[in-house]
Amino acid sequence: LQRSQQLKRPAWLALAPHRLNSGLPVNIGVLFVPQQEAWVVERMGKFHRILDPGLNFLIPLLDRIRYVQSLKEIVINVPEQSAVTLDNVTLQIDGVLYLRVMDPYKASYGVEDPEYAVTQLAQTTMRSELGKLSLDRVFRERESLNASIVDAINQASDCWGIRCLRYEIKDIHVPPRVKESMQMQVEAERRKRATVLESEGTRESAINVAEGQKQAQILASEAEKAEQINKAAGREANAMLVKARAKAEAIQLLAAALAQQHGSAAASLSVAEQYVSAFSKLAKDSNTLLLPANAGDVTNMVAQALGIYTTLTKPQAVKTEEEMPPAHEDPQPPAAEVLKAEKASSS
């Protein structure tokens, strides 16, 4: 029986490990079963029991060892086959199948040759799964493709007592013309990537240059601002202080001169001179002028200026008289008498 089953096996499975070992043991009553093996015993042609590893006793002539199942993991090479992808590309693909016998009874009586059956199932499942994917996805999703083939094999081989542990695709052979097209696509993709990287580098360089110019302008403006602030705080501030001090000293001298005897008359004479000088410059810059009716009355204009001055200095003068002791010299003539004297002299 073992010889007949081996002759029925295809040539490509001859090198793979088979569930039948070197030969079926002969029942001599006392048997020693090796580890990781299961011996299926039939009594008078009917299944009797499965011998466990170790010492076992059988009845000669009545009991017969019908099958020997190896419980180790079995590796089977799936031969190369053609498959058509979703985008109508024919591929030559092969793989490796990893099996293990989980139930010796089902593996013995469920199928004639479990390894051959699982191998054929793996081939058909591989073709059907490849037909669902395009060429690009076949290369990207090899792991998911292997997992799908394993699930499909386990669903069908459950009744055979065999479990598929792994399925790995070894080689995928693409037609030469398709391979050339893929190579051209890869080269074009790399050129595109190089162009994109070069443009990004140019953009980053331009951005860096613009940022540098911006920072330089900002720093230059800040430096100019600081320089102007320093100038304003230094030289110009000192010049303003000097001018203010000079003006203050001039005001103090003018106040001292006005406080002397006949100071008001001198102030009236100065105001009159300035008025005459300003009146002589009229109509030099423009031909249209708006003048009061008494523009030529110098006495009236001087009286108005002195009246404003007297009004502003009256509180200060009163305060000064209250603070100062009585003087023995003659008092200063009032401003009204001075104006009358100036009118008489002018008339």
Side-chain angles (χ1 to χ4, degrees), residues 24-248:
L24 294 175
V26 179
N27 183 9
I28 56 175
V30 179
L31 299 174
F32 296 94
V33 179
Q35 185 68 31
Q36 288 296 98
E37 285 190 4
W39 292 4
V40 180
V41 178
E42 292 182 354
R43 177 168 291 179
M44 293 182 293
K46 183 180 179 181
F47 173 75
H48 177 56
R49 68 189 180 98
I50 298 175
L51 301 181
D52 295 328
L55 179 61
N56 292 275
F57 298 94
L58 295 178
I59 301 174
L61 300 178
L62 295 180
D63 295 336
R64 178 187 175 187
I65 301 173
R66 186 68 175 82
Y67 299 101
V68 175
Q69 301 289 351
S70 177
L71 303 180
K72 299 178 182 179
E73 188 173 346
I74 303 172
V75 182
I76 299 176
N77 290 322
V78 179
E80 186 177 16
Q81 60 178 335
S82 62
V84 181
T85 61
L86 184 62
D87 49 356
N88 297 326
V89 178
T90 303
L91 301 177
Q92 299 293 328
I93 187 169
D94 57 359
V96 180
L97 192 62
Y98 298 86
L99 304 175
R100 175 175 290 177
V101 176
M102 307 301 294
D103 190 345
Y105 177 80
K106 291 182 179 181
S108 300
Y109 298 101
V111 65
E112 180 64 27
D113 193 343
E115 290 88 350
Y116 178 73
V118 172
T119 303
Q120 295 299 315
L121 181 60
Q123 288 181 329
T124 56
T125 305
M126 185 194 306
R127 283 194 293 267
S128 63
E129 292 294 332
L130 285 175
K132 300 177 183 178
L133 301 175
S134 61
L135 180 61
D136 295 335
R137 293 184 60 189
V138 169
F139 292 100
R140 290 197 304 264
E141 301 181 5
R142 293 181 66 171
E143 294 183 0
S144 61
L145 180 61
N146 295 336
S148 300
I149 295 174
V150 169
D151 293 338
I153 292 174
N154 288 331
Q155 291 178 4
S157 63
D158 187 32
C159 60
W160 299 341
I162 296 176
R163 182 174 182 80
C164 179
L165 302 179
R166 294 184 305 278
Y167 182 86
E168 299 291 341
I169 296 176
K170 290 196 302 183
D171 296 323
I172 299 177
H173 300 285
V174 184
R177 298 184 63 179
V178 177
K179 190 174 182 179
E180 292 176 0
S181 301
M182 293 174 62
Q183 187 67 27
M184 294 174 61
Q185 182 181 0
V186 171
E187 293 178 359
E189 186 68 25
R190 291 187 178 276
R191 286 196 297 269
K192 173 185 175 182
R193 191 179 303 174
T195 304
V196 171
L197 292 176
E198 184 178 359
S199 63
E200 290 181 355
T202 304
R203 185 186 66 178
E204 292 294 334
S205 176
I207 291 174
N208 292 335
V209 171
E211 289 290 339
Q213 294 177 355
K214 176 182 176 182
Q215 294 295 331
Q217 292 179 359
I218 292 174
L219 293 176
S221 63
E222 290 180 354
E224 184 178 359
K225 177 182 177 182
E227 182 180 1
Q228 292 178 0
I229 291 174
N230 293 333
K231 288 181 178 179
R235 183 177 59 189
E236 295 180 1
N238 293 331
M240 293 176 63
L241 290 176
V242 170
K243 291 180 180 179
R245 290 172 182 171
K247 189 174 181 180

Side-chain angles (χ1 to χ4, degrees), residues 254-269:
L254 180 61
L258 291 175
Q260 294 178 3
Q261 188 176 7
H262 304 293
S264 298
S268 301
L269 179 61

Side-chain angles (χ1 to χ4, degrees), residues 244-293:
R245 290 172 182 171
K247 189 174 181 180
E249 292 177 359
I251 291 174
Q252 291 178 359
L253 293 176
L254 180 61
L258 291 175
Q260 294 178 3
Q261 188 176 7
H262 304 293
S264 298
S268 301
L269 179 61
S270 177
V271 171
E273 290 178 352
Q274 293 179 5
Y275 180 81
V276 171
S277 177
F279 189 80
S280 64
K281 295 180 181 180
L282 294 175
K284 289 185 177 180
D285 298 332
S286 176
N287 294 329
T288 303
L289 296 174
L290 295 176
L291 298 175

